[in-house]
Amino acid sequence: MNFAVLQFPASNCDQDAVHAVRLLGHSARFVWHKENSLGDTDAVLVPGGFSYGDYLRCGAIARFSPVMQAVKQFADNGGLVLGICNGFQVLCEAGLLPGALIRNRSLQFRCENVFLKTATIDSPFTNQIPAGQLLRVPIAHGEGCYFADTDTIAKLKVNQQILWQYANAQGELTDGANPNGAVENIAGICNERRNVAGLMPHPERACEPLLGSTDGRLIFESIFHALKSGPAAKVA
Amino acid sequence: MTGGNRRLDMKAKIIITPKKAVLDPQGKTVQDALQHMGYQGVGAVHVGKYLEIELSGSDKDAARKQIDEACHKFLSNPVIEDYKLEIE
């Protein structure tokens, strides 16, 4: 599988994303934000960081970069797109995912490991996650509080678009386990078509025992599985 | 760039504030601090952004239309923010 990992000025998890994909036996390459095309690509990763210095709003400027037009077309054709951290913010700003990410309730930058409960395995991003298994993955963000109006949240629930929620070690969705104040403890969602997803935590930083957890692999393996079994969209 | 003869005749003033339904921890923290400092009668505080954009020309309606679109598409995020636009 070929993964395109976008690079914006001040992306800083792009190397980690490429490393994780290669570690898991697939190919990944960087695609600069000024590119108009993704080339031969099976899936797109929009990495974490502080694209364009987070000026104006996180992800607000990145969404207008040339490469994002190509990503939008790729997504419109059914291609798999995963946004991690700042990548999630970019996808929300671009309108590829509903809602927005705002300042953490605590006003603090939170950098720690969290537990994620997978709300549904019915998605290309969660299909390999064993039922009931919590994922131990790190977060590192100051503006990761997911917000959407009540109608949108209701729609997310009905369509099972909530993929991951912050939980405690027992898998309960408590307020104490919510690191940023996100509505419904939401850590990650997908679009209605289920081919575009975003999450604030960093699965790419949890793929090796050396890093303390390999739970992030399950998300990548879900994508590999989806690409192998489903009709992969190819967009030049 | 100075813009040569380009005249900056108008100014767009944009105030962006968080929507009421959106959690505003900054506003809450500032409110708490003001109350802690002893200022009387301080209610809810909302922390937003202020932008000034210099514009050439004199057609205020055209400028408003253009900047209003930019506010909606780019300068604010309608999911979480409201904005007020003035052209002068």
Side-chain angles (χ1 to χ4, degrees):
Chain A
M1 304 295 172
N2 292 317
F3 280 68
V5 177
L6 308 189
Q7 275 186 318
F8 300 104
S11 290
N12 67 5
C13 303
D14 44 335
Q15 303 282 343
D16 307 47
V18 161
H19 172 76
V21 171
R22 289 179 181 164
L23 179 82
L24 300 175
H26 293 273
S27 62
R29 61 181 208 295
F30 300 111
V31 180
W32 186 234
H33 68 119
K34 288 189 173 165
E35 295 290 330
N36 290 305
S37 160
L38 295 167
D40 183 21
T41 293
D42 296 302
V44 175
L45 295 178
V46 191
F50 301 84
S51 60
Y52 296 89
D54 276 353
Y55 293 164
L56 194 62
R57 293 179 307 280
C58 305
I61 298 180
R63 71 164 278 207
F64 290 106
S65 61
V67 77
M68 281 307 295
Q69 309 312 310
V71 170
K72 191 171 184 307
Q73 196 193 348
F74 183 79
D76 287 348
N77 288 335
L80 298 187
V81 180
L82 178 66
I84 299 168
C85 197
N86 186 224
F88 185 14
Q89 296 164 338
V90 172
L91 294 177
C92 286
E93 280 283 342
L96 289 170
L97 290 172
L101 284 314
I102 60 173
R103 271 298 269 283
N104 291 352
R105 178 178 49 183
S106 63
L107 293 175
Q108 291 169 336
F109 188 94
R110 298 289 294 267
C111 187
E112 62 205 37
N113 283 313
V114 296
F115 287 108
L116 294 183
K117 184 175 183 173
T118 302
T120 172
I121 58 163
D122 177 22
S123 86
F125 309 94
T126 53
N127 60 64
Q128 294 301 297
I129 300 172
Q133 181 175 332
L134 297 176
L135 305 182
R136 186 76 165 148
V137 286
I139 57 164
H141 60 248
E143 294 178 292
C145 173
Y146 183 79
F147 174 84
D149 60 40
T150 46
D151 289 351
T152 304
I153 295 292
K155 211 173 139 199
L156 291 179
K157 285 183 180 171
V158 168
N159 296 332
Q160 295 200 300
Q161 286 172 250
I162 299 170
L163 298 185
W164 300 281
Q165 288 165 293
Y166 301 108
N168 63 15
Q170 287 73 45
E172 298 158 340
L173 307 177
T174 60
D175 199 44
N178 186 339
N180 51 36
V183 177
E184 301 282 336
N185 282 38
I186 288 173
I189 56 164
C190 68
N191 63 348
E192 209 172 331
R193 194 172 168 181
R194 311 188 89 69
N195 65 315
V196 178
L199 77 168
M200 287 313 296
H202 288 276
E204 82 282 17
R205 295 189 197 170
C207 290
E208 292 159 274
L210 183 66
L211 297 178
S213 170
T214 57
D215 291 351
R217 287 182 178 211
L218 292 166
I219 293 175
F220 289 100
E221 277 159 13
S222 296
I223 299 173
F224 303 149
H225 180 80
L227 289 172
K228 253 180 273 170
S229 49
K234 288 271 186 182
V235 183
Chain B
M1 209 174 92
T2 56
N5 293 328
R6 193 163 153 258
R7 287 169 54 204
L8 302 173
D9 300 328
M10 296 182 291
K11 198 176 265 180
K13 296 182 168 181
I14 304 156
I15 295 174
I16 297 168
T17 47
K19 274 189 196 296
K20 285 233 165 65
V22 176
L23 199 69
D24 180 11
Q26 265 196 103
K28 183 72 176 65
T29 304
V30 173
Q31 180 190 344
D32 291 349
L34 286 170
Q35 287 166 346
H36 183 71
M37 290 162 77
Y39 289 103
Q40 299 299 307
V42 172
V45 176
H46 305 286
V47 178
K49 285 181 204 136
Y50 175 66
L51 286 84
E52 269 187 9
I53 304 175
E54 294 177 353
L55 299 162
S56 58
S58 57
D59 186 342
K60 281 193 178 183
D61 288 342
R64 176 181 300 281
K65 199 167 167 239
Q66 187 179 231
I67 300 298
D68 193 57
E69 186 192 291
C71 283
H72 195 75
K73 262 169 70 173
F74 173 52
L75 300 173
S76 80
N77 180 343
V79 176
I80 48 173
E81 295 167 327
D82 293 320
Y83 66 86
K84 264 192 282 191
L85 166 64
E86 270 180 39
I87 307 278
E88 59 179 51

